[in-house]
Amino acid sequence: MIINPVLTVREKHYKLYLGNPIIVTAPGRINLIGEHTDYNDGFVLPAAIDKSITFAISRNKSDRFRFYSFDFDESFQTTDLNLKNAPQWVYYLIGVIAQFKKLDIDIAGIDCVFGGNIPIGAGLSSSAALECGFAAGINKLFNCKLTNYQLVKMAQTAEHEYAGVMCGIMDQFASVYGKKDHVFRLDCRSHDYNYFPLKMDKYVIALVNTKVEHELASSEYNLRRKECEAGVAILKNDRPNISSLRDVDHALLVSNRDNIDPTIYNRCSYVVSENQRVIDACEALDKSDFEEFGKLMYQSHEGLRKKYQVSCKELDILVKGTIDIECVLGSRMMGGGFGGCTINLIKRGFESDFENEISHIYKKETGIDPDFYFVNLSDGVSVMS
Ligand code: GLA
């Protein structure tokens, strides 16, 4: 774990490349509610967190891309964007470079050292932070003058093309547009967003890491996306002007029940309900009604578990384990699913009780000691010269 990230990446950059780099920091994200809604043109409620990746990036005078990852203690260099058999983390960086090249921006010769404290594979979007931070760094170094929105879209496309995950826009948007002490509701159709201050004097956001990562996660993710599209295709026969599940309500779904495969029906039904939950959750936030907010979190988990089927045994144990713990207002799986973290809203001052009780339950049932992160909401990507 890096203690002083800026100093550490700067020093390492100097040792490896003798360069004079710019420093970029890109955060991971949480999502309070609105899961698997982003690629359905729906609503999400994410925030950037105080876990991030720090980069030291400079231009070199060659056509060579040289990288060093602290987390993997691994170096890599190439001049070629058509890589085979490179370490996984390299593809995110190369994927970003490829997006700049597509815009005919002549990107060559980069030295980049990066590292941070976003746990990998925990569903906190370390990959989006990697893409967004690197994109922001290139934007500055090569004076490309691209907007934040363009950088978000390029980072998302890098994930599609180089990691093979057909993700929505939430993770990259959160890493760039995050704001300290705020969550934001993002309309994933128009990309309009509204910040909500999260007054956390009485509450804490606790993430619990299952420490499991299922192989199936990315293929199941892409499958869910296809299932939603299949649902829309059928519903279009009835209502030709719809283009995504965002345009669908329960009445339309129910009246088409006999035409839709039951699994697809459940996927669609979950998404329609989850979109409404994001709207309800924002109303609850406006009223500082955290009890109501917590209930919506539990409902979201139930939908993800039963209808969307992206939870797993370990996530369910963690969520179920909170039900009888008094200090917990809400709990649910977060992110793509099949492992990673749960997000929990708990009363401030009860952090260690929560940790003790959940550790005990989880260890007893799985043999694993879970990790806990009590996170604060932070600003998005920042670039320092
Ligand atoms: C992953 C994806 C996001 C989003 C979530 C589920 O984190 O990258 O785009 O779809 O899963 O809400």
Side-chain angles (χ1 to χ4, degrees):
M1 195 65 59
I2 299 179
I3 309 287
N4 182 335
V6 174
L7 204 66
T8 315
V9 292
R10 209 189 270 285
E11 271 176 14
K12 187 75 181 181
H13 191 282
Y14 187 76
K15 264 193 205 145
L16 290 175
Y17 312 125
L18 288 172
N20 181 20
I22 60 165
I23 302 293
V24 181
T25 302
R29 65 100 188 89
I30 53 170
N31 184 26
L32 276 99
I33 197 157
E35 219 63 87
H36 287 273
T37 44
D38 60 352
Y39 54 84
N40 287 301
D41 281 353
F43 298 107
V44 292
L45 194 63
I49 53 170
D50 55 350
K51 291 198 173 291
S52 56
I53 300 178
T54 304
F55 304 72
I57 317 179
S58 66
R59 295 174 70 159
N60 62 39
K61 294 195 175 71
S62 72
D63 57 354
R64 195 158 283 278
F65 302 110
R66 301 189 291 186
F67 308 131
Y68 173 78
S69 159
F70 264 101
D71 295 310
F72 295 98
D73 185 19
E74 214 167 15
S75 294
F76 189 85
Q77 53 172 299
T78 184
T79 52
D80 185 5
L81 298 192
N82 297 312
L83 296 176
K84 289 193 185 74
N85 304 323
Q88 182 57 37
W89 58 267
V90 171
Y91 289 93
Y92 298 110
L93 302 176
I94 293 293
V96 168
I97 294 172
Q99 306 314 312
F100 281 88
K101 297 243 180 198
K102 273 194 214 166
L103 296 176
D104 277 337
I105 301 173
D106 188 22
I107 303 293
I110 296 177
D111 292 334
C112 174
V113 168
F114 67 93
N117 60 359
I118 310 177
I120 293 164
L124 304 184
S125 294
S126 57
S127 64
L130 188 54
E131 293 148 357
C132 293
F134 192 53
I138 295 178
N139 193 34
K140 172 84 181 177
L141 274 181
F142 291 83
N143 199 20
C144 309
K145 298 201 165 61
L146 299 178
T147 62
N148 278 345
Y149 182 69
Q150 284 175 297
L151 297 179
V152 165
K153 296 286 284 180
M154 287 160 78
Q156 182 195 18
T157 310
E159 180 96 22
H160 289 182
E161 293 176 355
Y162 283 74
V165 181
M166 297 309 292
C167 63
I169 203 165
M170 170 172 73
D171 303 348
Q172 290 79 8
F173 216 100
S175 187
V176 171
Y177 285 84
K179 180 167 164 179
K180 189 170 166 42
D181 298 331
H182 289 73
V183 294
F184 64 99
R185 184 177 66 196
L186 173 66
D187 177 335
C188 298
R189 167 173 277 170
S190 64
H191 298 152
D192 288 340
Y193 53 95
N194 306 80
Y195 291 107
F196 289 76
L198 202 59
K199 292 181 217 89
M200 297 301 286
D201 43 334
K202 296 199 191 113
Y203 305 100
V204 177
I205 292 170
L207 307 179
V208 188
N209 190 351
T210 56
K211 295 205 204 152
V212 298
E213 218 186 316
H214 289 266
E215 288 271 302
L216 283 175
S218 57
S219 58
E220 286 292 319
Y221 183 93
N222 292 346
L223 177 61
R224 290 300 173 282
R225 195 172 174 144
K226 288 220 165 74
E227 288 168 339
C228 292
E229 285 162 8
V232 172
I234 293 167
L235 292 167
K236 250 179 177 304
N237 297 328
D238 184 355
R239 194 89 54 87
N241 58 346
I242 65 165
S243 61
S244 68
L245 287 178
R246 167 72 175 276
D247 304 317
V248 173
D249 58 19
H250 280 295
L252 179 62
L253 261 184
V254 170
S255 64
N256 280 280
R257 188 162 207 148
D258 295 343
N259 310 326
I260 307 181
D261 165 272
T263 303
I264 305 242
Y265 184 90
N266 278 337
R267 308 295 193 241
C268 297
S269 165
Y270 160 78
V271 172
V272 171
S273 302
E274 184 75 351
N275 271 329
Q276 185 58 44
R277 277 192 284 270
V278 179
I279 294 165
D280 296 345
C282 290
E283 271 174 28
L285 271 192
D286 272 336
K287 293 189 236 150
S288 292
D289 187 348
F290 286 96
E291 300 282 342
E292 177 61 20
F293 196 98
K295 282 185 200 146
L296 292 164
M297 290 173 78
Y298 278 120
Q299 286 168 20
S300 168
H301 185 78
E302 269 312 281
L304 288 158
R305 184 178 75 81
K306 278 209 212 127
K307 290 190 172 173
Y308 217 66
Q309 295 181 302
V310 289
S311 187
C312 62
K313 186 185 87 191
E314 295 83 356
L315 286 164
D316 293 341
I317 291 169
L318 286 178
V319 172
K320 193 158 168 253
T322 65
I323 287 172
D324 294 325
I325 306 181
E326 248 219 73
C327 65
V328 182
L329 286 89
S331 176
R332 58 176 207 87
M333 58 149 274
M334 188 179 71
F338 302 103
C341 288
T342 61
I343 177 166
N344 305 267
L345 186 61
I346 69 171
K347 291 189 181 145
R348 192 171 284 283
F350 291 87
E351 292 87 326
S352 46
D353 294 354
F354 174 75
E355 211 174 312
N356 291 340
E357 292 194 50
I358 289 294
S359 293
H360 177 73
I361 294 168
Y362 193 62
K363 175 94 188 193
K364 201 169 101 203
E365 297 203 33
T366 64
I368 304 170
D369 285 313
D371 282 342
F372 292 81
Y373 320 114
F374 298 97
V375 293
N376 297 302
L377 310 188
S378 80
D379 286 326
V381 167
S382 71
V383 182
M384 294 179 258
S385 314

